[in-house]
Amino acid sequence: MFGLSIDHIVILLLAGLFILGPERLPEAAHWVAQTVKRIRGFAAGTKAQLEAELGPEYQELRKPLQELQSLRIGNPRAAMTKYLFDDTPPVASPVSTPAPAPVAVPLRAGERPPVDPDAT
């Protein structure tokens, strides 16, 4: 529930017991449960409305988010394996191959190497 462990939930219940007292704690817990239920209902209704209005475009919008979610949940090894060994071919770049790097020419005797004062 909300990423909380059992220890955290017990601590929250004990804090609620001390703050609200034993008389109001069940009432507060019922109110929280009803509010969470309402929020989930609103979220489900909104999702259904978006799916109905957008149609197949909704799945296209969700696909990048699902991929991002799978990367966030997964471990780095699984993400790299998926990236490196995925069956989809890489997209070819429209740019031509880069020109080869210029060949370094050795300095003559007594010649000082060029210095770029902005780079040093």
Side-chain angles (χ1 to χ4, degrees):
M1 180 174 95
F2 304 115
L4 297 176
S5 67
I6 297 294
D7 297 338
H8 291 110
I9 293 172
V10 169
I11 291 171
L12 287 173
L13 287 174
L14 288 174
L17 180 64
F18 285 118
I19 293 171
L20 297 174
E23 299 86 24
R24 291 186 283 170
L25 186 61
E27 187 179 307
H30 178 70
W31 178 83
V32 168
Q34 292 298 322
T35 303
V36 169
K37 189 176 184 180
R38 250 187 248 138
I39 290 172
R40 285 183 181 170
F42 289 146
T46 303
K47 181 181 174 186
Q49 185 177 2
L50 276 174
E51 286 177 354
E53 289 180 7
L54 294 178
E57 295 169 354
Y58 179 76
Q59 292 302 325
E60 292 175 17
L61 289 173
R62 284 195 40 103
K63 187 176 180 180
L65 295 175
Q66 289 172 341
E67 290 175 0
L68 182 64
Q69 181 72 15
S70 69
L71 288 177
R72 185 170 47 153
I73 290 174
N75 59 14
R77 180 177 289 185
M80 288 305 296
T81 302
K82 181 180 184 317
Y83 178 75
L84 292 174
F85 300 114
D86 195 12
D87 290 340
T88 57
V91 177
S93 175
V95 179
S96 63
T97 58
V103 178
V105 179
L107 297 175
R108 289 181 234 135
E111 184 180 6
R112 293 181 59 178
V115 176
D116 184 6
D118 294 333
T120 55

